């Protein structure tokens, strides 16, 4: 199992860098993960989405899709893409320390 | 006194559950009513063939009522809402019906209007869908006049019914333009929101190989934000563009509208949160869900409804008898993938076992995950099986709820 180090602590992640143990995550490492993903500074709007991802994961055991994020996070899809240009569902999940959202099949 | 079982939806799941229940419960024990807004049962797997002139629209539709065993009541009305507290369903014809057990089987519907511009200029001329009967019929009129250019097949976002259907459409389009002698003048692109042609690894590899072989370009992780029919382009939320002369869209899907009008029943997309193993709704113990209406991460496909039916009926009987539910649905899915030129692939998998090569349902059966003529014939034969065995709720040899392992090359999954 690969690991990543943020702020001097080690975390279990999958091959793409998504957390496999979400309980290991804490808010103080989010900014460092975000920088790796090319996001300079986490604004309140970023945090709204990150906290929503955590909440959804706690409730449902999986991260939401972009479409569900757009309907329920309070941030419209166009803005989600401005905040997380390389894909809101994936990048926000990574920063929020939850597993990669599985596309339903 | 008989218990009242109310089944909302007379499609694949609703029909086969009603018929199975009717056969397994003594007449005086249950009164079964099926509700649907119309009396037209559509054989949905046939839609794929309509645009290419391989199926006639009228051959795909039969009476819903006629598929139900005598003794099952059919009520034609749209549903207004479900009142979980009162254990009552209010229909749009103004009547209210109380239930002891409710089965939600109202499937998924297309919501093309949720994508900006999709139903705007070009809709029905350069922008089409084969996911509805009128759509497939309109496309069957448009394809013969297409003399060349770029054909784009776009799956906007999951969940959709039959996630392999857009790939099958690409394969058949390749064959169709070959037959017309103009394949060299047609570019075919498959544009998908997923990060591969299909999400299951072994299957994705096989299908990606086939797409490449047939000269179908694949554009992944494209989240369509807008369809510009006038300019002929798809625009993604992250600003990428794909030009088209003819677009075949698989629009966004949602649950039946009444689900969102029924407090506590559905999720934000109108699907019904369901226990993946027992098929009981999370909202109430006396509500069960089957087929496309669930929020489950299994394919929205008729085979899944068939496999779920067995478990669901057992659980309704257990619920009525006050017994513990059987948590045995394993996510079993089975589908033929038409690949053009009279061939097809077959895949069979569940939550734990990926689609693998081998044979189905045992060592001497249809080849799995490989193109063959036999699978194509199987796909065609399935239509008759659908009306005469699956809907009546008969057990079909080899097609049982628990996924068969015999004949499967399980070593192929671990190397994926």
């Amino acid at each position: 199992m690969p690991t990543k180090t943020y702020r001097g602590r080690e975390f279990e992640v999958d091959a793409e860098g998504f957390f496999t143990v979400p309980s290991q995550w804490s808010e103080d490492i989010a900014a460092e993960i975000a920088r790796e993903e090319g996001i300079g500074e986490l604004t309140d709007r970023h945090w709204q989405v990150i906290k929503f991802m955590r909440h959804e994961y706690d409730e449902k055991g999986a991260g939401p899709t972009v479409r569900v994020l757009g309907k329920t996070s309070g941030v419209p899809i166009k803005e989600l893409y401005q905040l997380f240009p390389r894909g809101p569902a994936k990048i926000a999940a990574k920063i929020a320390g939850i597993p990669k959202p599985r596309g339903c099949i | 006194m008989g218990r009242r079982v109310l089944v909302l939806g007379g499609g694949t799941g609703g029909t086969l559950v009603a018929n199975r229940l009717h056969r397994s419960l003594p007449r005086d024990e249950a009164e079964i009513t099926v509700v649907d807004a119309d009396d037209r049962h559509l054989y949905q797997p046939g839609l794929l063939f309509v645009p290419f002139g391989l199926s006639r629209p009228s051959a795909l539709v039969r009476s819903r009522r006629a598929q139900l065993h005598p003794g099952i009541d059919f009520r034609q009305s749209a549903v207004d809402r479900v009142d979980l507290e009162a254990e009552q369903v209010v229909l749009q014809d103004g009547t209210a019906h109380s239930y002891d057990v409710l089965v939600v089987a109202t499937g998924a519907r297309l919501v093309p209007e949720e994508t900006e511009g999709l139903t705007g200029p070009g809709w029905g001329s350069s922008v089409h869908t084969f996911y509805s009967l009128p759509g497939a019929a309109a496309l069957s009129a448009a394809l013969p006049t297409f003399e060349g250019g770029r054909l784009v097949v776009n799956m906007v976002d999951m969940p959709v019914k039959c996630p392999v259907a857009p790939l099958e459409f690409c394969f058949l389009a390749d064959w169709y333009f070959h037959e017309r002698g103009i394949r060299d003048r047609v570019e075919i692109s498959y544009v998908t929101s997923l990060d591969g042609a299909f999400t299951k690894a072994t299957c994705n590899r096989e299908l990606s190989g086939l797409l490449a072989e047939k000269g179908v370009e694949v554009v992944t992780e494209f989240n369509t934000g807008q369809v510009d029919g006038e300019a002929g382009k798809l625009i993604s939320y992250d600003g990428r563009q794909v030009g088209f002369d003819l677009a075949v869209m698989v629009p966004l899907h949602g649950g039946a509208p009444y689900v969102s009008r029924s407090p506590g029943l559905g999720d934000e997309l109108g699907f019904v949160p369901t226990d993946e193993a027992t098929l009981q709704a999370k909202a109430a113990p006396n509500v069960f869900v089957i087929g496309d209406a669930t929020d489950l991460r299994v394919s929205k496909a008729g085979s899944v409804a068939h496999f779920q039916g067995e478990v669901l009926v057992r659980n309704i009987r257990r619920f009525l008898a006050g017994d513990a539910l059987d948590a045995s649905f394993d996510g079993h899915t089975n589908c033929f993938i038409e690949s053009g030129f009279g061939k097809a692939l077959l895949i069979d998998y569940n939550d734990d076992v990926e689609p693998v090569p081998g044979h189905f349902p045992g060592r001497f059966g249809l080849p799995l995950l490989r193109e063959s003529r036999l699978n194509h014939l199987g796909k065609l034969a399935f239509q008759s099986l659908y009306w005469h065995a699956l809907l009546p709720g008969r057990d079909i040899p080899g097609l049982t709820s628990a996924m068969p392992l015999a004949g499967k090359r399980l070593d192929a999954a671990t190397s994926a």
Side-chain angles (χ1 to χ4, degrees), chain B residues 24-328:
Chain B
S24 66
L25 289 170
R27 278 296 271 280
D28 53 346
E29 242 177 63
E31 210 176 289
I32 304 168
T33 302
V34 175
V35 177
D36 205 298
D38 60 55
D39 191 24
R40 293 164 53 80
H41 186 126
L42 171 65
Y43 178 66
Q44 296 189 70
L47 290 175
L48 169 70
F49 296 103
V50 172
F52 305 101
L54 300 170
S55 248
R56 276 177 308 113
S58 60
L60 303 179
V61 180
R62 297 188 185 183
S63 158
R64 294 189 194 276
R65 191 191 300 262
Q67 311 312 315
L68 298 169
H69 292 330
I72 298 173
D73 192 29
F74 180 77
R75 186 154 193 121
Q76 195 175 322
S77 168
V79 179
D80 183 54
R81 65 185 184 278
V82 176
D83 186 338
L84 293 169
E85 298 250 321
E87 301 187 334
Q88 196 180 63
V89 173
V90 180
L91 302 183
Q92 288 191 348
D93 64 10
T95 58
H97 302 258
S98 58
Y99 58 81
D100 293 295
V101 169
L102 181 71
V103 179
V104 177
T106 28
R109 71 188 168 112
L110 309 178
V111 283
E113 60 283 357
E114 232 186 82
T115 301
E116 190 183 334
L118 206 168
T119 52
W123 182 231
S125 54
S126 63
V127 182
H128 286 267
T129 185
F130 66 95
Y131 264 57
S132 69
L133 197 56
L139 192 51
S140 77
L143 272 187
T145 65
F146 190 71
E147 297 299 335
R150 192 168 191 198
L151 167 70
V152 170
V153 179
N154 178 211
M155 197 279 288
V156 177
D157 202 2
M158 297 295 277
V160 299
K161 291 185 269 193
C162 191
V164 295
L167 298 169
E168 296 179 281
F169 189 93
C170 292
F171 295 144
L172 284 173
D174 167 67
W175 162 80
Y176 171 83
F177 291 118
H178 262 290
E179 291 293 295
R180 281 184 51 195
I182 58 166
R183 180 63 182 93
D184 57 341
R185 282 189 262 149
V186 181
E187 267 181 77
I188 305 176
S189 298
Y190 179 53
V191 178
T192 169
S193 66
L194 297 174
D195 58 7
F198 196 62
T199 48
K200 298 267 172 188
T202 44
C203 194
N204 183 36
R205 226 168 23 201
E206 185 70 28
L207 293 175
S208 299
L210 267 180
L211 287 164
E213 215 173 274
K214 293 173 189 290
V216 177
E217 178 206 25
V218 180
V219 179
T220 57
E221 294 187 85
F222 189 95
N223 228 296
T224 305
Q226 191 192 343
V227 179
D228 186 340
E230 255 164 6
K233 58 188 181 187
L234 307 177
I235 304 159
S236 70
Y237 280 112
D238 58 359
R240 286 182 287 159
Q241 298 193 354
V242 171
F244 64 79
D245 297 295
L246 182 64
V248 175
M249 306 295 297
V250 180
L252 293 173
H253 287 34
Y258 77 86
V259 173
S260 304
R261 289 194 296 262
S262 306
L265 185 62
D267 67 11
E268 50 284 314
L269 301 180
F271 294 110
V272 181
T274 304
D275 184 278
E276 60 182 6
T278 64
L279 305 172
Q280 189 178 42
K282 291 184 177 164
N286 61 340
V287 178
F288 293 84
V289 198
I290 187 168
D292 298 353
T294 74
D295 71 333
L296 299 179
R297 287 160 192 276
V298 292
S299 282
K300 296 196 181 299
S303 70
V304 174
H306 167 70
F307 297 134
Q308 288 174 334
E310 210 178 304
V311 177
L312 193 85
V313 166
R314 199 179 306 141
N315 277 342
I316 290 173
R317 294 183 59 190
R318 288 188 179 203
F319 177 81
L320 288 173
D323 295 335
L325 300 188
D326 165 25
S328 73

Side-chain angles (χ1 to χ4, degrees), chain A residues 7 10 17 22 24 31 33-34 38 42-43 45 53 65 88 91 94 104:
Chain A
R7 296 187 68 120
E10 242 183 38
Q24 294 181 339
I33 309 175
L42 291 178
T43 63
R45 291 298 265 180
M53 296 297 284
T65 62
I91 303 303
K94 195 178 262 189
C104 331

